[in-house]
Amino acid sequence: MYLSAARAYLFNLVLAERVRQGSWNLSMEGEVDPSGPLWGRGRSRASEQVRELESQVLQPWQDWCHGMEFSGLSQERRPLLLMPGEFSCQWLNQPETDQVDLELSFSLPTGCFATALLREVAELQQPRAVAE
């Protein structure tokens, strides 16, 4: 669990830098599709330009990178763009409360979190307490 969380954190650092640069949805030189590292043992399959960017971003995290390399994890890549599968939505009327709820249904690849997707497509707020 800890290793998975650490890998995701490093991936998110690289993704955040690509978002900052405006290249998160664009292939860099040598990339077929934009992707980020899931750190582990082995040589990255990323192009030289992408490896240089990732190396700069992850320089302060070299202890973590080395730890993952020697923990048995293999170097992998994950797409920076996520397209949920089987997406559907519908509005549901709640007559007893005069509210309308939006129901979303979708599938995600292993390792992707619905909360991350919802954060990107919705403005989420804490519900207000209803006076009794």
Side-chain angles (χ1 to χ4, degrees):
M1 175 81 87
Y2 294 118
L3 290 174
S4 181
R7 277 179 118 187
Y9 183 76
L10 297 178
F11 173 89
N12 288 339
L13 290 173
V14 171
L15 175 57
E17 179 60 21
R18 297 267 312 244
V19 168
R20 191 187 70 70
Q21 292 182 1
S23 67
W24 64 273
N25 60 345
L26 304 171
S27 294
M28 294 176 70
E29 185 177 320
E31 267 187 320
V32 175
D33 293 308
S35 66
L38 292 177
W39 211 263
R41 179 174 285 150
R43 183 162 169 79
S44 172
R45 296 186 316 256
S47 69
E48 184 177 342
Q49 183 183 17
V50 173
R51 281 194 317 266
E52 285 178 21
L53 170 74
E54 293 172 358
S55 178
Q56 289 172 356
V57 170
L58 299 178
Q59 183 59 40
W61 300 94
Q62 287 305 297
D63 288 344
W64 283 29
C65 294
H66 291 131
M68 283 181 263
E69 290 171 15
F70 293 101
S71 68
L73 297 172
S74 298
Q75 180 83 226
E76 299 177 51
R77 307 239 7 121
R78 175 177 288 164
L80 298 181
L81 301 171
L82 173 64
M83 296 298 293
E86 304 167 23
F87 186 86
S88 68
C89 63
Q90 66 178 341
W91 291 101
L92 302 172
N93 292 319
Q94 304 295 335
E96 63 276 1
T97 62
D98 289 329
Q99 291 183 337
V100 179
D101 294 331
L102 176 61
E103 179 181 83
L104 301 174
S105 177
F106 51 87
S107 63
L108 296 173
T110 300
C112 298
F113 295 93
T115 52
L117 176 70
L118 293 174
R119 180 187 68 228
E120 297 302 320
V121 300
E123 183 177 316
L124 304 174
Q125 299 174 354
Q126 288 281 29
R128 286 181 275 152
V130 178
E132 294 184 30

